[in-house]
Amino acid sequence: MNMSDMKGKKVLFAKPRYSLGFLHKLGVGILLVLAVSFLFQPQAYRKDWENVPSLYFSFLQEGDYVLDYTLSAAPAEGASIWVISETAVDSDNHAGIEFARRELTPDALRGSLSLCLEQGVHGVQVLQNAGEGVVFSEFKIQSVQLLCTDHYLMSALCLAAALCIALLGMYVPSDKYKMPFLAVGFGLLASLPLANDFLIETVPDTGFHLARLESVYQGLRAGEFPVRIGSVQMSGYGSLSAVMYPQLFLYPVALLRFFRVSLLMCYKLLLAGINVGSALLAYYAVKNICKSEKTGIIAGFLYAFSVYRLIDVYQRGALGESLAMVFLPLIMWGIYEILWGNRKRWPLLALGVSAVLQSHVLSVEMCVFFLVAAVVCRCLQKERRQLGVRIFAGIKAAVLTILLNASFLIPFLFFCGEDLQCFHMPNELPESLLYFNQMFFSFPHADGSSQSLGTLSGEMPLTVGGVMLLGIILFAAMISKDRMSGTAEAKANEPGTAEAKSAGAGRHEEKAGVYCLVFGLAALFLTSWVFPWEALSKIPMFDAIARSLQFAWRFLGPASLFLCVVTAVGLKLFEEREQGRRWIYSCAALLVFLSASYFFEMSARESRQTADKMAINGYNITDSLYMYYDGESFKAHHMDPAYQIPQMRSAGQTAVYSGLRRQGAGLRVEVTPGTALEDVLIFPVYYYPGYRVTVNGEDVECYSYNTQLACDMPLEYAEVEVRYAGPAAFLAGDMVSLCTLITCVMYIPFSRRKK
């Protein structure tokens, strides 16, 4: 076939345009070795307990187990050993399920017992009645086979990464992807504390988010979508955290649970994605704002290793705030495009605010503060042309944000109108302020808790890092030097020259740096001990804001982003103004690595860690923030309420139950009413508006009975089903968000053709 015959025909296998370089080959080789190594890891893991004093196990996941024991003396006649959970409820609504039993003979000092669990069980204990003074001199319980596909997933990820590097190396010029790949590398380096088989566990926040993640999986498993009640939490009674705490980004990793990926691995992959996403979005945002790829990649590096961001990810276990920090650069980029850049890029702001809203509601409140400040700054500028159309572009972004997030906003705002305990939290902002020296600690420990003013002893690390302080000084020095020497103005007066273009780009970077410096210092001022939060809290509007934000040091998140931009611009200006002194980059990188490495080492030494995949799978930690208000005795940090056995009850206590089966946030049960007249059927589910109860397939009225879901007792035997559907407005919100998303996806190729 000659060249003329090939015209107009699609070539399926084109010849590679480039050859793989050394770094490509090295990366592909390492990834292939890792893929093979992961592939041959054992599929099943074992969990052993030996000579457990209390013979009590907080959680055993589904699987087979073997119990080997030795008694201290001969058992009595008719003695036995059995395994039971007093907190589990069987299908007949009886608390205390016996899973296995073995009769003992007087001459049998040793023996074994097989145990098969079809689902995870909390509160398992081994009991025996061998006689007075007879105890277990030796005891061992061992899992037979607990399936786990973590190694298959890691092998597949390594193979996919190797293939991606190889194809890009052969077909794409290196200049087109080296900076994004470098940003991905920064994110992966920031994920080094995850390169192990354990999880850094901060109590109770990490356990709380793990329970949220498992609740999403269990809800999807029961056919619920979207999942609006956390069925794993609140002892199975259901938590409203799924509505009040956004969880969109939990769904992708929760789906991995269907493939037997452990909860530990799902959570670690989510944290790694947060690190990579933070570096990438910071790179793209700053690159487009400052019109400089070099400034963008420096900012991506600084943001990936930003001390406060690492504290959020590894020390505080603040998953929502960590996710929000991924998309803060996108909001900054969107604000810039609407107010100063290409206003037709207003969807960037809608996308950024939507992503932050679906990550952490409180971060949206902080973003609104800086958004209003940016609009005020733009209105005060002398150049006001196109200001009206730019404001209109912002309004379009706001409308699109509302439509995209109607599925979350409508349920959230609905329950904001309810009398929940989270709206009665004490105002903690005046006591959660920081000292100026504390804000710039370079080598923070990975331990402690938030302390009141008056001491730093035992306080957890709350800092943007010392590198940011040096960046502020460097940027201020460069700006002052330019203003004093007048070089920027002189070069700008020579139109058409390369110096004029460079000066124009430099002035653009300087302006972006100045804005970020002002906003960054403002954010630090809001966290400082000199800011009058206590006085402002006497104003009702400010008091409502203060109560919802909870901690003033949350403003360290946006402060970190702004100061990363300031430092990146300062480093770039120094390298240009001081005749190419690139050693400044090495010095900055060294300081950042020292700071991050010290924090990583402290995390490995000081933080609580767990490698117990079974225990992690059984986390059901929650709080009472989203329960109905129960009086002034409520405390804001009331985590992990007392365990309640999830049993069916009735006011008359005479009904008989059978076929009880939990299904995510709902359940099915067969009820035979007792002798009590006008009895009330009470479900082991906390009441929230939106529950639907059907008796023999027909809807009946349900209501709250001492905070639990209840309905009138049926007059005769009936099949009862409970599920959470939500009010009709919730479904309308789902449809609005879905239609908006589909419209946006369909419009993308049309807009590209139009362009």
Side-chain angles (χ1 to χ4, degrees):
M1 181 181 294
N2 55 33
M3 292 300 296
S4 60
D5 296 330
M6 295 179 62
K7 290 182 180 180
K9 295 185 178 181
K10 186 176 181 180
V11 181
L12 295 179
F13 299 97
K15 184 178 180 181
R17 296 174 57 191
Y18 306 96
S19 59
L20 289 177
F22 170 74
L23 291 179
H24 296 87
K25 295 177 182 178
L26 179 63
V28 170
I30 293 175
L31 288 170
L32 289 177
V33 170
L34 290 175
V36 174
S37 300
F38 282 123
L39 192 61
F40 287 97
Q41 294 294 316
Q43 181 180 0
Y45 71 96
R46 294 184 180 274
K47 178 66 178 176
D48 300 328
W49 297 269
E50 192 167 356
N51 296 330
V52 182
S54 63
L55 301 182
Y56 176 85
F57 310 95
S58 60
F59 179 77
L60 293 181
Q61 71 180 65
E62 66 275 10
D64 297 329
Y65 302 84
V66 175
L67 286 73
D68 297 314
Y69 61 88
T70 301
L71 297 176
S72 60
E77 190 71 32
S80 60
I81 176 176
W82 66 96
V83 181
I84 190 174
S85 172
E86 295 182 352
T87 60
V89 178
D90 63 14
S91 60
D92 293 328
N93 198 47
H94 297 143
I97 300 180
E98 183 178 298
F99 299 102
R101 177 180 285 268
R102 179 185 176 89
E103 302 297 331
L104 302 176
T105 58
D107 59 343
L109 295 179
R110 297 175 180 269
S112 63
L113 180 66
S114 297
L115 174 65
C116 178
L117 299 179
E118 296 180 356
Q119 61 182 4
V121 181
H122 290 271
V124 179
Q125 50 187 327
V126 181
L127 303 176
Q128 53 89 11
N129 58 357
E132 185 176 355
V134 180
V135 297
F136 291 107
S137 59
E138 294 182 5
F139 181 88
K140 182 178 182 180
I141 178 172
Q142 184 180 50
S143 61
V144 176
Q145 188 181 45
L146 301 176
L147 296 181
C148 178
T149 60
D150 292 1
H151 58 294
Y152 289 144
L153 176 64
M154 293 304 300
S155 180
L157 290 176
C158 290
L159 285 174
L163 181 62
C164 182
I165 292 175
L167 291 178
L168 288 175
M170 289 188 295
Y171 291 97
V172 182
S174 60
D175 291 342
K176 288 189 176 182
Y177 69 89
K178 67 178 181 181
M179 288 302 180
F181 262 44
L182 193 57
V184 171
F186 294 153
L188 293 177
L189 282 176
S191 303
L192 278 178
L194 304 174
N196 45 55
D197 62 349
F198 61 82
L199 182 67
I200 297 175
E201 182 182 5
T202 56
V203 180
D205 284 2
T206 301
F208 170 69
H209 294 300
L210 286 166
R212 290 176 58 221
L213 181 56
E214 183 68 7
S215 292
V216 172
Y217 163 62
Q218 294 295 344
L220 294 174
R221 192 178 182 184
E224 300 172 3
F225 184 81
V227 179
R228 290 200 166 106
I229 298 293
S231 59
V232 170
Q233 299 172 300
M234 301 302 287
S235 307
Y237 279 68
S239 172
L240 195 63
S241 62
V243 169
M244 304 301 290
Y245 208 120
Q247 55 185 25
L248 174 65
F249 296 104
L250 301 186
Y251 283 88
V253 288
L255 292 174
L256 296 174
R257 295 284 288 133
F258 285 96
F259 302 97
R260 292 187 177 272
V261 177
S262 69
L263 190 60
L264 181 148
M265 179 58 68
C266 291
Y267 190 74
K268 292 175 74 170
L269 286 176
L270 181 58
L271 296 186
I274 287 173
N275 291 330
V276 172
S278 298
L280 265 178
L281 284 182
Y283 158 69
Y284 279 113
V286 178
K287 168 190 170 183
N288 284 275
I289 292 173
C290 295
K291 312 302 180 187
S292 169
E293 195 167 43
K294 183 182 291 186
T295 307
I297 198 62
I298 296 172
F301 169 74
L302 294 173
Y303 197 56
F305 292 97
S306 169
V307 178
Y308 180 75
R309 201 192 65 80
L310 296 177
I311 291 168
D312 266 357
V313 173
Y314 297 117
Q315 199 273 333
R316 288 185 57 214
L319 182 64
E321 197 169 337
S322 301
L323 276 167
M325 290 190 70
V326 175
F327 305 103
L328 291 182
L330 191 57
I331 291 183
M332 183 176 66
W333 182 10
I335 293 174
Y336 161 76
E337 295 291 0
I338 289 177
L339 296 180
W340 291 281
N342 182 1
R343 67 180 187 278
K344 294 182 180 180
R345 291 183 174 180
W346 59 265
L348 285 173
L349 181 59
L351 183 61
V353 175
S354 297
V356 173
L357 181 61
Q358 294 289 348
S359 303
H360 194 236
V361 175
L362 300 185
S363 294
V364 177
E365 292 187 36
M366 294 186 289
C367 290
V368 169
F369 171 83
F370 294 104
L371 174 59
V372 172
V375 172
V376 171
C377 291
R378 182 65 179 87
C379 293
L380 294 177
Q381 287 182 342
K382 295 181 180 180
E383 180 60 45
R384 297 184 181 178
R385 289 185 303 173
Q386 299 184 339
L387 183 59
V389 293
R390 290 186 179 277
I391 298 298
F392 181 66
I395 294 174
K396 290 192 291 185
V399 172
L400 180 58
T401 301
I402 294 172
L403 294 177
L404 279 173
N405 298 279
S407 179
F408 168 74
L409 286 173
I410 291 177
F412 176 79
L413 294 175
F414 175 86
F415 282 106
C416 283
E418 299 288 297
D419 189 25
L420 303 180
Q421 299 197 42
C422 60
F423 302 120
H424 295 270
M425 290 193 305
N427 187 350
E428 300 182 56
L429 253 70
E431 292 297 325
S432 62
L433 302 174
L434 306 179
Y435 297 109
F436 290 118
N437 62 327
Q438 181 183 8
M439 295 177 184
F440 299 103
F441 284 164
S442 295
F443 303 103
H445 283 250
D447 198 9
S449 59
S450 180
Q451 304 288 343
S452 300
L453 289 175
T455 181
L456 292 180
S457 178
E459 180 142 34
M460 66 180 180
L462 296 169
T463 172
V464 295
V467 176
M468 298 298 104
L469 177 61
L470 297 178
I472 293 172
I473 296 172
L474 180 63
F475 176 78
M478 291 297 98
I479 295 297
S480 300
K481 183 176 181 180
D482 277 356
R483 295 295 181 267
M484 293 177 63
S485 62
T487 55
E489 289 79 359
K491 292 180 180 179
N493 290 331
E494 302 176 6
T497 63
E499 290 79 4
K501 294 180 180 179
S502 176
R507 280 209 310 253
H508 191 83
E509 283 183 312
E510 291 178 12
K511 187 179 293 185
V514 169
Y515 274 104
C516 288
L517 177 61
V518 172
F519 289 156
L521 293 178
L524 292 180
F525 180 58
L526 289 171
T527 69
S528 70
W529 64 293
V530 298
F531 189 83
W533 278 113
E534 187 169 3
L536 292 174
S537 296
K538 296 178 181 179
I539 304 173
M541 182 183 69
F542 280 97
D543 182 64
I545 296 174
R547 287 177 183 273
S548 62
L549 287 177
Q550 195 176 11
F551 304 117
W553 40 258
R554 292 188 191 276
F555 281 98
L556 291 178
S560 297
L561 173 62
F562 293 134
L563 296 182
C564 282
V565 178
V566 171
T567 305
V569 174
L571 291 169
K572 173 86 176 323
L573 293 178
F574 181 87
E575 187 261 336
E576 290 179 346
R577 303 291 191 268
E578 299 300 321
Q579 300 178 355
R581 296 187 178 181
R582 297 186 177 181
W583 52 263
I584 189 65
Y585 297 137
S586 301
C587 293
L590 180 61
L591 290 174
V592 171
F593 272 123
L594 287 176
S595 180
S597 298
Y598 182 83
F599 178 76
F600 290 166
E601 290 181 6
M602 290 300 100
S603 298
R605 295 177 183 178
E606 299 179 354
S607 298
R608 175 177 172 178
Q609 300 154 1
T610 178
D612 193 341
K613 296 179 181 179
M614 177 184 293
I616 290 175
N617 289 345
Y619 280 165
N620 59 0
I621 298 174
T622 186
D623 56 36
S624 56
L625 289 175
Y626 309 121
M627 295 180 64
Y628 281 96
Y629 185 59
D630 62 358
E632 295 298 331
S633 61
F634 166 71
K635 294 183 179 180
H637 296 287
H638 184 200
M639 301 293 290
D640 201 11
Y643 189 88
Q644 302 182 62
I645 299 176
Q647 277 182 292
M648 295 288 302
R649 296 189 299 112
S650 64
Q653 300 294 331
T654 58
V656 178
Y657 311 94
S658 61
L660 177 62
R661 183 160 59 96
R662 300 302 298 252
Q663 297 176 312
L667 56 86
R668 288 176 179 267
V669 65
E670 299 171 17
V671 181
T672 302
T675 57
L677 299 177
E678 297 183 356
D679 203 355
V680 176
L681 183 60
I682 307 170
F683 302 97
V685 172
Y686 284 127
Y687 171 79
Y688 294 106
Y691 268 105
R692 182 183 177 187
V693 178
T694 59
V695 177
N696 292 328
E698 297 183 1
D699 290 342
V700 298
E701 182 183 0
C702 57
Y703 44 84
S704 175
Y705 187 93
N706 294 332
T707 73
Q708 290 182 226
L709 180 70
C711 71
D712 293 339
M713 179 68 71
L715 299 178
E716 56 185 12
Y717 168 85
E719 296 181 359
V720 182
E721 181 180 3
V722 174
R723 64 184 181 90
Y724 189 80
F730 291 12
L731 179 59
D734 294 340
M735 297 306 298
V736 168
S737 294
L738 181 61
C739 292
T740 305
L741 180 61
I742 293 175
T743 303
C744 292
V745 172
M746 294 178 63
Y747 181 74
I748 291 174
F750 172 77
S751 63
R752 288 183 175 178
R753 287 196 300 267
K754 184 178 178 181
K755 183 178 179 180

